[in-house]
Amino acid sequence: MNVYRAAAAAVVAATSVVVFSGAAFAHVSVQPQGEAAKGGYATVNFKVPNERDNASTVKLEVSMPTEHPLASVMPQPVPGWKVEVTKAKLDKPLEVHGKQITEAASKVTWTADGSKIAPGQFQQFPLSLGRLPEDADQMVFKALQTYDNKEVVRWIEEPKEGGEEPESPAPVLKLSAATDDHHGAGAKAAPADDKSGGHDDEGAARTESAASSVSSDSTARVLGVVGIVVGAAGVAFGVLAGRRRSS
């Protein structure tokens, strides 16, 4: 019965996380599509939820980090929104693929053009970014969210490591370890002398299969005990019934 109690407890805990963590994510955030590796390129989504019950979001402005200028910032078209990339001169030119880049994107602005983010809804705005810095673990993007009632919410507070989350936190993009291809496509290949051949998926499958077998075995034992008890009860009932008929 401990198996079932543990499963029930896990379900309750997971539900609690979903219920109580909803409010913590009700702000503009940024997440990579796949992996954002240091020194590579990545596609990210800026997720914009509507926090108001009586207004709709009609504009989003995202500032690019000045301490880590990006040579390539390309937005993906979003139906019902027009996008503008603002560029600025760099104090120090960037060297990209043998060419010097003297200006880089400083801000990206999405403005409603036949669409909007209504109450109870959210919208994602994709960007292709690169090259990502090699000497940083994260990038902070300050954002302004404008509603159709002229209210502007400034998501510009930088989170402090080990501190409480700010009231209006800026979107933070976490960077993973650098990859060989500099495109953030995946992890490095396994070394030639690695006897496992890099087949981590097979090991995970074996582990999962073993865990499944243990769980199935526990369930079978419980059912077996129940069957024995039911069978013994049936035999006892038959014996009693026979005695009654004999008397």
Side-chain angles (χ1 to χ4, degrees):
M1 298 303 292
N2 290 337
V3 174
Y4 302 109
R5 288 178 182 175
V11 170
V12 171
T15 304
S16 300
V17 170
V18 172
V19 171
F20 294 109
S21 66
F25 292 94
H27 53 71
V28 177
S29 60
V30 59
Q31 293 294 333
Q33 294 182 11
E35 189 176 32
K38 297 178 182 180
Y41 292 79
T43 298
V44 303
N45 283 325
F46 285 90
K47 182 179 179 181
V48 184
N50 193 320
E51 294 188 312
R52 301 294 180 262
D53 297 328
N54 57 354
S56 298
T57 298
V58 293
K59 188 177 182 180
L60 174 68
E61 300 170 78
V62 176
S63 295
M64 300 294 107
T66 56
E67 67 275 19
H68 299 294
L70 299 169
S72 175
V73 176
M74 296 187 295
Q76 179 178 323
V78 178
W81 296 80
K82 61 180 180 181
V83 60
E84 178 184 3
V85 179
T86 303
K87 294 187 176 182
K89 291 287 184 181
L90 296 175
D91 295 332
K92 182 181 179 180
L94 295 175
E95 187 79 19
V96 181
H97 300 305
K99 297 182 180 180
Q100 279 202 341
I101 306 298
T102 58
E103 63 177 15
S106 59
K107 183 174 67 174
V108 181
T109 304
W110 289 269
T111 306
D113 185 22
S115 184
K116 59 185 177 181
I117 309 175
Q121 299 180 352
F122 75 92
Q123 178 64 55
Q124 295 193 105
F125 298 93
L127 277 182
S128 174
L129 305 176
R131 293 176 58 175
L132 302 178
E134 297 180 348
D135 57 350
D137 295 322
Q138 65 180 29
M139 299 182 71
V140 179
F141 299 84
K142 297 183 178 182
L144 302 181
Q145 181 180 7
T146 303
Y147 289 87
D148 55 10
N149 61 359
K150 308 303 180 183
E151 178 188 5
V152 178
V153 181
R154 301 168 62 84
W155 304 101
I156 61 173
E157 299 179 49
E158 297 190 28
K160 302 297 182 181
E161 186 176 355
E164 295 183 359
E165 184 180 64
E167 184 177 348
S168 300
V172 177
L173 177 65
K174 300 292 185 179
L175 303 181
S176 60
T179 59
D180 289 335
D181 58 8
H182 297 295
H183 289 281
K188 295 181 179 180
D193 59 349
D194 185 357
K195 295 181 180 180
S196 67
H199 296 298
D200 293 336
D201 291 342
E202 293 182 4
R206 287 194 295 269
T207 302
E208 183 178 355
S209 177
S212 177
S213 298
V214 171
S215 178
S216 299
D217 184 58
S218 298
T219 303
R221 289 180 182 178
V222 172
L223 294 178
V225 172
V226 172
I228 292 172
V229 172
V230 172
V235 171
F237 179 78
V239 171
L240 290 174
R243 289 181 178 178
R244 287 177 182 176
R245 283 195 296 269
S246 298
S247 60

